[in-house]
């Protein structure tokens, strides 16, 4: 495909308690997605670790020197693809983060994104979770480029914050990627809705990548990895199990929608605006 077109490979993989096996599986699925023509491949949130407060300290490792990062760098280089490494628990001098890495086809680390909005919620009869008991929040928004594509990153709960997506749109993004692990309380209600909202509000593509569901886990993920186009159309979607979702995206779709419904130029910035603070 030309640079203005790109095939996404979104890996909804099963994650268990053996870190080495999780990473080995991720590498195998990356190779499979690359063989199907994917030039940008995305892993899910916490792909090398079960999702849970007690697991974060046990599985955390250095982004720059850890075995997971080395495996991702090698996988990107061997398959000659761009790789969004979902997220892993990061240990940075004793402080823990939920961190996404991005690798280029030469195996170089392009950027990292630390989850900005920590998942602290309490839904009676549903779910209670407080990431801030263990994790620190990230302090910046993160973008990277693949030719004419500018891509903004978020992790899971970040997708709920429309201002963050708007700032990415203002910065010229035409694709947003969210590795995430919504649960069985919020997932059926909000997972698809939020992706469509971020896509239509900002007239860009959105891809959100979940682990496969493990009904025996303490935290049961909703799955349903999917890709949404700027019109809010689902391009492709998984169900609950392990699966690779493919989506062919085209920059002209973004451009045409922004011409036909010119939201960006019609914003009344004399009355309101969304501003990134230093």
């Amino acid at each position: 495909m030309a640079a203005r077109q790109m095939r996404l490979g979104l890996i909804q993989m099963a994650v268990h308690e053996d870190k080495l096996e999780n990473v080995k599986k991720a590498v195998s699925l990356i190779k499979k997605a690359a063989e199907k023509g994917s030039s940008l491949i995305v892993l899910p949130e916490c792909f090398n670790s079960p999702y849970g407060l007690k697991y974060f300290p046990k599985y955390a490792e250095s982004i720059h020197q850890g075995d997971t990062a080395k495996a991702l760098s090698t996988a990107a280089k061997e398959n000659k693809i761009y790789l969004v490494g979902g997220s892993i628990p990061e240990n940075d001098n004793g402080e823990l983060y939920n961190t996404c890495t991005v690798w280029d086809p030469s195996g170089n680390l392009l950027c990292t994104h630390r989850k900005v909005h920590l998942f602290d919620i309490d839904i009676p009869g549903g779910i209670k979770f407080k990431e801030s008991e263990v994790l620190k929040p990230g302090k910046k928004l993160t973008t990277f480029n693949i030719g004419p594509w500018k891509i903004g990153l978020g992790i899971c709960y970040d997708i709920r914050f429309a201002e963050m997506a708007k700032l990415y749109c203002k910065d010229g993004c035409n694709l947003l990627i969210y590795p995430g692990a919504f649960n069985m309380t919020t997932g059926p209600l909000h997972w698809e809705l939020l992706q469509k909202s971020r896509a239509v509000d900002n007239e860009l593509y959105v891809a959100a990548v979940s682990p496969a569901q493990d009904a025996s886990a303490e935290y049961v993920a909703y799955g349903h990895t999917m890709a949404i186009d700027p019109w809010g159309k689902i391009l492709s979607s998984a169900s609950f199990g392990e699966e690779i979702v493919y989506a062919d995206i085209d920059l002209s779709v973004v451009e045409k929608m922004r011409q036909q419904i010119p939201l960006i130029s019609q914003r009344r910035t004399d009355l309101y605006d969304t501003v990134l603070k230093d």
Side-chain angles (χ1 to χ4, degrees):
M1 288 187 177
R4 288 173 57 81
Q5 298 175 310
M6 183 161 51
R7 168 162 284 191
L8 305 180
L10 312 177
I11 296 176
Q12 180 168 292
M13 61 173 278
V15 178
H16 302 294
E17 293 195 21
D18 189 324
K19 182 195 283 191
L20 293 179
E21 284 301 313
N22 289 333
V23 174
K24 183 179 178 180
K25 176 180 283 189
V27 169
S28 174
L29 293 172
I30 290 166
K31 184 175 187 294
K32 183 177 180 180
E35 289 172 346
K36 294 291 186 178
S38 304
S39 54
L40 173 58
I41 296 172
V42 187
L43 292 168
E45 181 181 24
C46 285
F47 77 90
N48 73 345
S49 160
Y51 182 77
L53 300 183
K54 72 178 185 181
Y55 297 108
F56 296 148
K58 177 182 177 181
Y59 287 76
E61 60 182 77
S62 167
I63 288 299
H64 299 284
Q65 300 170 337
D67 290 338
T68 301
K70 292 176 183 176
L72 295 181
S73 173
T74 300
K77 184 176 181 179
E78 288 183 348
N79 293 287
K80 298 180 175 58
I81 48 90
Y82 287 90
L83 176 61
V84 176
S87 78
I88 68 169
E90 175 194 2
N91 187 330
D92 183 10
N93 294 317
E95 292 191 332
L96 303 185
Y97 299 88
N98 188 343
T99 303
C100 175
T101 58
V102 181
W103 307 87
D104 73 11
S106 297
N108 299 312
L109 181 64
L110 283 181
C111 61
T112 62
H113 176 76
R114 290 170 169 169
K115 191 173 189 176
V116 171
H117 303 94
L118 296 183
F119 184 53
D120 288 3
I121 69 165
D122 187 356
I123 303 173
I127 183 171
K128 181 177 182 179
F129 205 91
K130 194 171 184 180
E131 279 187 327
S132 64
E133 291 181 356
V134 176
L135 302 177
K136 298 285 186 181
K139 296 183 178 179
K140 67 180 181 69
L141 306 189
T142 309
T143 64
F144 67 98
N145 294 87
I146 301 177
W149 293 92
K150 187 164 189 176
I151 301 160
L153 292 175
I155 298 175
C156 200
Y157 201 48
D158 285 339
I159 198 172
R160 288 190 177 272
F161 295 85
E163 298 95 335
M164 183 173 174
K166 181 57 64 182
L167 287 168
Y168 280 142
C169 176
K170 288 181 63 179
D171 196 32
C173 288
N174 33 47
L175 168 63
L176 302 182
I177 293 176
Y178 296 93
F182 271 39
N183 54 75
M184 291 304 296
T185 298
T186 61
L189 293 171
H190 298 154
W191 177 250
E192 180 181 321
L193 174 66
L194 287 166
Q195 291 176 65
K196 288 183 173 181
S197 298
R198 299 295 83 85
V200 173
D201 284 349
N202 299 290
E203 300 179 318
L204 42 66
Y205 286 97
V206 170
V209 186
S210 171
Q213 184 179 98
D214 178 358
S216 66
E218 294 177 37
Y219 183 96
V220 180
Y222 178 56
H224 289 81
T225 291
M226 63 181 65
I228 310 292
D229 82 358
W231 291 89
K233 177 184 176 182
I234 298 175
L235 297 178
S236 52
S237 177
S239 183
F240 295 103
E242 188 166 89
E243 182 179 348
I244 303 176
V245 172
Y246 299 98
D248 294 320
I249 61 176
D250 188 332
L251 196 57
S252 69
V253 176
V254 177
E255 294 168 343
K256 288 177 181 177
M257 185 177 185
R258 290 179 174 180
Q259 291 168 1
Q260 293 167 11
I261 309 176
L263 295 180
I264 295 173
S265 63
Q266 290 176 338
R267 294 178 73 241
R268 288 291 305 276
T269 53
D270 57 322
L271 296 176
Y272 58 83
D273 205 351
T274 308
V275 179
L276 181 64
K277 293 188 175 182
D278 295 330

